[in-house]
């Protein structure tokens, strides 16, 4: 109703403003997309064209998939993919089970020492040991050069735990009580009522955790030197950043170690899964931000 | 006598509640153990900053430094530390000045769009960079900014300018840090404000229409005041985070040529600790950063409560 009224009253001046506004937004969207589009074009161009420069709106000189063949046949990419999928799938699964198992009791008023436990999980949000103590811990647990170094140290975070807890707290107690009156036991209540009702928040947090695992690189950098334990993002860092820095420090910065199309293909190969999932999962990601803005 | 019996009955009730709700406690056990091992144990590790740490002797076995503040004295006398401290503050403040208002403006602009399909498309596209890692973003930047075949330098050359080696020039480092943060986060950061904008009562706009307010006047006199609480909360949160300049971003963008303007406390602590293996000095650096950060968070949370808002934590 109010929208229609607005439209009727729109003066020519405000219509112009709306067009300018839409124009600026469109321009911003193009700027957001162009770098990725550029990488796509570079990756499918023959090497000679890929490093030719200029605005790349469409592949010139034909399409060549040789960069992808090269990247996908590189050992560290294949191993990296395997390790990244491992840490994403295993890490996210364990994380979600642990988040739920901690969040449900924390949402219960009857939990003994509830305030103490809340504080217990909250303090690490404000203070942490820092880089070296964490490194020494991982080392003393024997996790250096071990795949589990990617999973165990980052199983849980306070922020996500609070989000799940707040969501579960909002589920009315009366649902549980009426189920109990009907003879449902603890596990029936958990699996038939609480978990189905908290699926939205679990999906959101799972997506965040999964993206975090997919993009994580620092643990691979400091905990694992074994080539068999390389992750996709560490491969990406070595190809895009370390290799380039090494040559820009020594020579003029002109000579690249790997060709532009290989760089482009590496980026696309690494972000393809995110690009594929993103359009369908976007609303879950966004919903989580809203949930997170309700503190308790 | 009376009191102690009261006490013991309370204690017994507590024990009974432990027994009654042992299922709930048992459920939390994995998380409790995880936090004890991976969050609280490293807190003890900060003692490394006060010890002459020897890898072979471990944290407990290493002797205390003499004086205990030896590594802090070394830290404060180190020009690289002062440089990293200055850079951290400078980069943080630059980011607040430029990347804090941007999502607000962006959200208001999006909110003005009437065509919902267009609005949805813009949102989908602008949220996307948030999901790229800084390695990917830095890689894309290297491709775009390359002095050899980067499109930005081609455009500069087309207008008759000379090509710039963006990532090797100290004067370009901070602008690039700010611009890349904008690129990555402007869309995602606007979500919170968009949510606040949808909560504004449409009657306020109708009343403004009747009073003959123009579009700009409505934004200044209705929209902005209505989302001001959200803005102030987000601002305070951002201030509390002032000691982190963005490790992932900086470490993937800087190089030895740009240390002078780009080396922040986190990256410096990383190089000291895990490249040069000076564990004690690195721990002292992290501890310094964490304590200042903690103080900032406590101050900002206090201010939030004083402003009548619900405290953030």
């Amino acid at each position: 109703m109010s929208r229609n009224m607005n439209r009727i009253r729109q003066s020519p001046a405000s219509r112009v403003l709306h067009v300018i506004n839409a124009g600026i937004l469109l321009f911003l969207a193009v700027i957001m997309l162009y770098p990725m589009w550029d990488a796509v074009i570079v990756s499918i161009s023959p090497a000679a064209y890929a490093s030719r420069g200029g605005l790349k709106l469409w592949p010139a000189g034909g399409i060549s998939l040789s960069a992808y063949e090269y990247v996908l046949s590189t050992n560290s990419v294949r191993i990296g993919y395997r390790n990244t999928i491992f840490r994403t799938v295993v890490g996210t699964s364990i994380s979600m089970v642990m988040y739920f198992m901690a969040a449900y009791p924390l949402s219960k008023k009857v939990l003994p020492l509830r305030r103490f436990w809340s504080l217990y999980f909250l303090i690490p949000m404000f203070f942490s040991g820092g880089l070296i103590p964490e490194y020494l811990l991982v080392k003393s647990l024997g996790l250096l050069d071990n795949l589990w170094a990617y999973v165990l140290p980052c199983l849980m975070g306070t922020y996500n735990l609070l989000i799940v807890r707040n969501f579960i707290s909002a589920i009315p107690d009366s649902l549980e009580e009426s189920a109990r009156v009907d003879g449902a036991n603890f596990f029936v209540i958990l699996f038939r009522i609480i978990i189905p009702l908290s699926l939205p928040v679990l999906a959101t947090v799972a997506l965040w955790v999964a993206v975090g695992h997919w993009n994580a690189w620092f643990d691979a950098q400091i905990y694992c030197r074994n080539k068999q334990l390389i992750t996709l993002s560490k491969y990406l860092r070595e190809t895009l950043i370390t290799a380039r820095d090494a040559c820009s420090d020594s020579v003029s910065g002109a000579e690249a170690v790997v060709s532009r199309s290989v760089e482009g293909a590496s980026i696309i190969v690494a972000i393809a899964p995110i690009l594929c999932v993103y359009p369908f999962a976007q609303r879950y990601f966004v919903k989580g931000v809203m949930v997170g803005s309700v503190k308790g | 006598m009376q009191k102690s019996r009261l006490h013991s009955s309370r204690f017994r009730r507590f024990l009974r509640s432990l027994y009654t709700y042992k299922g709930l406690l048992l459920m939390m056990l994995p998380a409790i153990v995880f936090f004890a091992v991976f969050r609280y144990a490293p807190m003890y590790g900060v003692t490394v900053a006060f010890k002459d740490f020897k890898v072979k002797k471990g944290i407990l076995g290493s002797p205390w430094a003499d004086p205990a503040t030896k590594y802090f004295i070394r830290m404060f006398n180190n020009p690289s530390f002062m440089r990293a401290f200055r850079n951290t503050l400078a980069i943080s403040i630059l980011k607040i000045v430029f990347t804090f208002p941007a999502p607000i403006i962006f959200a208001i602009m999006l909110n003005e769009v009437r065509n919902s399909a267009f609005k949805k498309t813009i949102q989908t596209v602008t949220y996307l960079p948030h999901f790229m890692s800084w390695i990917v973003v830095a890689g894309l930047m290297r491709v775009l900014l390359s002095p050899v075949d980067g499109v930005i330098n081609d455009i500069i050359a087309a207008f008759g300018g000379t090509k710039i080696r963006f990532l090797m020039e100290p004067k370009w480092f901070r602008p690039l840090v700010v611009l890349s943060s904008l690129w990555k986060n402007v869309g995602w950061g606007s979500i919170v404000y968009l949510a606040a904008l949808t909560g504004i009562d449409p009657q306020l706009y109708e009343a403004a229409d009747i009073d003959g307010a123009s579009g700009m006047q409505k934004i200044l006199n209705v929209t902005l005041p209505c989302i001001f609480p959200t803005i102030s909360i987000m601002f305070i949160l951002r201030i509390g985070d002032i000691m982190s300049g963005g490790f992932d971003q900086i470490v993937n963008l800087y190089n030895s040529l740009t240390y002078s303007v780009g080396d922040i406390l986190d990256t410096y602590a990383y190089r000291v600790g895990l490249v040069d293996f000076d564990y004690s000095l690195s721990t002292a650096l992290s501890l310094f950063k964490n304590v200042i950060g903690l103080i900032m968070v406590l101050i900002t949370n206090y201010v939030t409560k004083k402003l009548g808002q619900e405290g953030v934590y």
Side-chain angles (χ1 to χ4, degrees), chain A residues 119-138:
Chain A
L119 201 64
Y120 178 80
F121 292 118
L122 196 62
I123 288 172
M125 198 164 170
F126 302 113
F127 191 78
S128 69
L131 181 64
I132 297 300
E134 278 166 29
Y135 174 81
L136 292 174
L137 172 76
V138 167

Side-chain angles (χ1 to χ4, degrees), chain A residues 129-258:
Chain A
L131 181 64
I132 297 300
E134 278 166 29
Y135 174 81
L136 292 174
L137 172 76
V138 167
K139 190 177 170 187
S140 67
L141 292 174
L143 290 173
L144 287 190
D145 274 324
N146 186 326
L147 213 48
W148 289 97
Y150 299 150
V151 174
L152 295 180
C154 58
L155 273 178
M156 296 184 84
T158 300
Y159 184 75
N160 287 344
L161 179 63
L162 291 183
I163 284 182
V164 180
R165 185 203 66 181
N166 290 352
F167 191 92
I168 297 178
S169 301
I171 297 174
D173 282 337
S174 52
L175 277 178
E176 264 182 69
E177 274 156 31
S178 62
R180 201 169 291 131
V181 170
D182 290 343
N185 67 25
F186 180 71
F187 291 97
V188 173
I189 290 174
L190 219 54
F191 284 96
R192 304 289 288 275
I193 297 177
I194 306 296
I195 292 182
L197 282 176
S198 28
L199 271 186
V201 78
L202 295 178
T204 298
V205 172
L207 281 167
W208 281 350
V209 173
V211 170
H213 268 295
W214 195 267
N215 285 336
W217 63 279
F218 193 58
D219 42 15
Q221 175 92 9
I222 63 177
Y223 296 145
C224 298
R225 290 174 194 281
N226 186 340
K227 286 271 174 232
Q228 291 299 312
L229 298 176
I230 195 170
T231 62
L232 203 51
S233 43
K234 193 186 174 191
Y235 159 80
L236 210 56
R237 182 172 152 85
E238 282 174 0
T239 321
L240 297 175
I241 299 188
T242 321
R244 288 244 159 214
D245 279 346
C247 72
S248 66
D249 280 353
S250 56
V251 232
S252 64
E255 285 303 313
V257 175
V258 288

Side-chain angles (χ1 to χ4, degrees), chain A residues 20-35:
Chain A
I20 293 175
N21 183 37
I24 296 174
L25 288 174
L26 197 65
F27 177 70
L28 284 175
V30 170
I31 288 182
M32 298 284 169
L33 270 188
Y34 180 75

Side-chain angles (χ1 to χ4, degrees), chain B residues 106-117:
Chain B
F106 185 70
I108 291 174
M109 286 172 76
L110 262 181
N111 199 46
E112 292 294 312
V113 173
R114 295 274 174 267
N115 182 330
S116 73

Side-chain angles (χ1 to χ4, degrees), chain B residues 10 12 15 17 35 59 64 68 85 88 139 142 166 168 177 191 223 235 250 264 271-272 282:
Chain B
R10 255 175 78 179
R12 211 172 299 156
L15 284 184
S17 79
F35 271 77
I59 298 177
W64 292 98
F85 189 37
T88 307
R142 276 153 202 262
F166 283 101
M168 282 167 237
V177 165
I191 293 176
T223 312
F235 185 72
I250 303 289
I264 56 174
R271 286 203 317 280
V272 168
S282 176

